[in-house]
Amino acid sequence: MNLPILLWILQAIWIKAVRGAQQFEMKPTDVEVNPGEAATLTCKIHNRQGECAWLKDGRVMGKIDDKYDFMREPADGDCSIRIRSAKIEEDDGMYQCQVTQISLTEPTLTAPEVKFTVREPPMPPRIEDNTNVLPPGEPYPTQAGKLKRLHCISRKGNPPAKLKWFIEDTDITTMSNQTNTSDPNKPKTSQAISVLDYVFQKDHNGKMLKCVAIHAAYETLTKEIKLPLEVLYPPDIHLEGQPVKDIEEGETISVKCVADANPQASVIWKKSGYSSIYALKDKIEFMPVKRSDSGIFSCSASNDVGLSQELEVNIDVKFKPQILKVSPNPGAKVTVYHNTTLVCEAEGNPPPKYSWLQKMGGDPIAWQQRGNTAVLHILNVTYQYQGQYVCEASNMINGHPYKSTSSEITLDVTGAPQVLTDTARTKKRVVVEKDEDAIIAVYFCSDPSPRRTYWEWGSIKLDSGEGHIRYIAENLHNDDGARDCYEARLIVRGVDGSDSRKYTLNVENERGSEAFAVLLEVREPVAMSVVIGIVVGCIILLLIITLVILYLLKAERMCFNRKGFKPESSESDAESGRSAELIHNGRSKHGAIPPDALYTTKRENNSTPDSRPLYENIKPDRNDNQNDAALVYASLDLPNPVPQSRNGHSNKNKQQQQPPPRRDRTEYAEIQFQPKMYEQASL
């Protein structure tokens, strides 16, 4: 090894030992530049010791004046290269910064490759459908609901353009996918292709589809292509003018079937129950509407894309009720207690409700409802159903009531007489005061007319129009309001108690007979003496109750008086005893011991053992060591009776020989509790 090489190696070793290893302080990054502009790729080295070098696309670059400018051994370690008048053909490529090794033991310092891009503005974007280029501004037809694939392409750009999709101002780029490839027609350029998979709907019809290319080399940064969408979709229909209230006959009705479709659809109207087409237009009109127009109408629409759903509208024409027929007309004859039927036929919409009304007599004339169906069945006919009948049919249209009334038909009831007990004119019981006149009335019907009517009670029979003493059977009274009906009256003058009985009316005609009994009750006035006696008795009873209550109250006070009881002394009981005192706290207190137990007779000094007092005085409990007795008692001793001899004298000798007689002893006790301050308690 020659000396210069050895010196160089030693110098490198010394520099490394002194300065340390060289390393990148700042590495180059990708740079984009417009054509003709200058740009710098920055590369700075810390402790640079080797020489700076640049590689382009893997080849070492030389320093060329007015084109590439960099320093090989910069003192400050800045190895950056400056590229002037950038051209895509000359300068676009991959660049790498390197620093040579300073010893055999160290590798070359190499930075990653970076892209130096000389921008090339791409061609404006275009939209293709299956390689068919769509002209800008012309409508793009597509069918709603079907998936469509479109391509947006921007060629010969460097770098490739960024492509975005819009419907009007709505960004739909997320539904697309972009790929970039080298453009075969121009080296070092790329083509950008964005594929959009989208399902257009009918509300997109007429809106603008846009593809926008974004590139820094564009003067305005963006270029776009617009296509108006022509979305084809089947008809969607709705009705206008549908009735919102009842359709009344005579009104004007117009209903329109509106179709929303692309292309335009044709409308067909049909009527339910008919196979033919009702109309080939979007609107049906009824001027005016008739009841025969009622029905369910349906409309549908179709175009080249498809067929709409079918919508229905109910033209339900309402009209007032009208009676068509009543039967039997003009009437019917029916035997009493038989059955009959009346029929009413009417039309109307809504279907009418029926009422059968019977004309009742009186002023003003009244009508009684007998049924509420079209057919009136009358079972077990009575004379009450005889008369004029009408049928009423009614309905309601838009809140207004309408009614139609038939002509009158006659129901003629014939047969045996019948007493009408359901009316107030016939009473089963009549009550009058004594000495007043009684009127007994019975209401009945008969067709044919009654042959005989008479009243019967006891053994008496009195025909209508006759009288007997105080009894008058009036002639029959015809009822002007009800044909073949009568009222029979029996008048009893000045009734008394003997007139209280049943009076029977008998009616006969050619078809049979009927009997009906009425009870007459005569009320006699109550005697004044009886009223006075009742009043006096009530007063006496009240006085007795008052005295008893006062007596009970007084007796209760006497028995429970806490202040004690001391009877007045008399000569007969002057020595019957003295009042016992209960000693408490040094003060005398009258006790609540029964009075007979609190008194005793005085003892004589020479009294015998048998002459013991009948009662003993109350004594304190001797076992109590305290001054104040807590328990006092009293006793009642009753001597045994001395046996009498048969001659009435006492058997004294036998009495002395017998043991001392047992004395029954009745004791009373009172418990007294020690009082608290200013309080006393006793039981």
Side-chain angles (χ1 to χ4, degrees), residues 662-679:
R662 180 182 60 84
R663 299 195 178 195
D664 293 330
R665 183 181 182 89
T666 301
E667 294 184 352
Y668 297 85
E670 175 177 338
I671 299 175
Q672 294 185 350
F673 299 90
Q674 294 298 329
K676 296 180 180 179
M677 184 69 68
Y678 305 111
E679 293 183 359

Side-chain angles (χ1 to χ4, degrees), residues 283-580:
K283 183 186 295 185
I284 56 173
E285 296 177 309
F286 306 94
M287 297 183 298
V289 66
K290 301 183 294 293
R291 65 186 67 178
S292 59
D293 295 326
S294 295
I296 297 177
F297 294 81
S298 61
C299 80
S300 61
S302 62
N303 62 5
D304 295 338
V305 181
L307 180 67
S308 72
Q309 77 275 27
E310 193 172 75
L311 296 181
E312 293 183 347
V313 57
N314 185 16
I315 304 299
D316 187 13
V317 181
K318 309 294 185 182
F319 55 94
K320 303 173 185 178
Q322 182 180 357
I323 303 292
L324 301 178
K325 180 183 177 182
V326 289
S327 62
N329 192 16
K333 182 177 288 187
V334 60
T335 304
V336 69
Y337 302 126
H338 284 64
N339 303 333
T340 189
T341 300
L342 305 181
V343 180
C344 180
E345 297 180 13
E347 66 175 354
N349 189 23
K353 296 180 180 179
Y354 293 89
S355 292
W356 280 100
L357 304 176
Q358 180 186 358
K359 187 177 183 179
M360 309 302 292
D363 187 17
I365 296 175
W367 295 85
Q368 180 178 355
Q369 184 173 354
R370 288 298 189 182
N372 55 6
T373 58
V375 180
L376 175 63
H377 297 285
I378 305 177
L379 307 179
N380 197 24
V381 174
T382 64
Y383 283 100
Q384 288 177 307
Y385 288 91
Q386 179 172 261
Q388 305 299 117
Y389 285 78
V390 295
C391 172
E392 279 188 356
S394 61
N395 65 6
M396 186 82 68
I397 302 176
N398 289 322
H400 299 290
Y402 296 97
K403 181 174 63 175
S404 178
T405 304
S406 71
S407 59
E408 295 182 0
I409 61 175
T410 303
L411 186 63
D412 186 13
V413 181
T414 63
Q418 180 189 17
V419 175
L420 303 183
T421 58
D422 294 338
T423 178
R425 300 172 68 175
T426 298
K427 297 181 180 180
K428 297 180 180 180
R429 178 171 172 264
V430 177
V431 180
V432 295
E433 302 291 339
K434 183 181 179 182
D435 297 329
E436 292 183 354
D437 293 343
I439 300 176
I440 303 173
V442 176
Y443 185 72
F444 69 94
C445 297
S446 176
D447 186 13
S449 301
R451 184 171 53 190
R452 182 190 178 191
T453 58
Y454 63 92
W455 293 90
E456 180 181 11
W457 67 95
S459 59
I460 299 175
K461 292 183 180 181
L462 190 62
D463 288 301
S464 295
E466 296 181 355
H468 177 71
I469 311 175
R470 295 183 294 110
Y471 304 96
I472 301 172
E474 293 184 346
N475 290 321
L476 296 180
H477 297 272
N478 292 326
D479 188 354
D480 296 335
R483 187 164 57 89
D484 301 327
C485 292
Y486 310 88
E487 185 180 56
R489 295 181 184 177
L490 175 63
I491 300 177
V492 183
R493 303 291 186 186
V495 297
D496 57 20
S498 62
D499 294 322
S500 296
R501 64 173 67 232
K502 285 186 177 182
Y503 296 84
T504 304
L505 174 68
N506 295 274
V507 184
E508 300 174 357
N509 70 1
E510 298 174 0
R511 307 287 292 275
S513 62
E514 176 86 330
F516 185 78
V518 180
L519 176 62
L520 175 63
E521 292 184 6
V522 180
R523 294 189 302 191
E524 296 188 8
V526 180
M528 183 58 66
S529 59
V530 176
V531 175
I532 295 174
I534 293 175
V535 173
V536 172
C538 292
I539 295 174
I540 293 174
L541 179 62
L542 181 62
L543 291 175
I544 292 174
I545 293 174
T546 304
L547 293 175
V548 170
I549 293 173
L550 293 175
Y551 174 78
L552 293 176
L553 293 174
K554 184 176 180 182
E556 183 178 0
R557 287 197 301 269
M558 293 297 291
C559 292
F560 299 99
N561 189 356
R562 291 185 176 273
K563 292 182 179 181
F565 174 81
K566 181 176 181 181
E568 296 179 359
S569 60
S570 62
E571 293 180 359
S572 60
D573 56 2
E575 296 181 357
S576 60
R578 60 184 179 87
S579 174

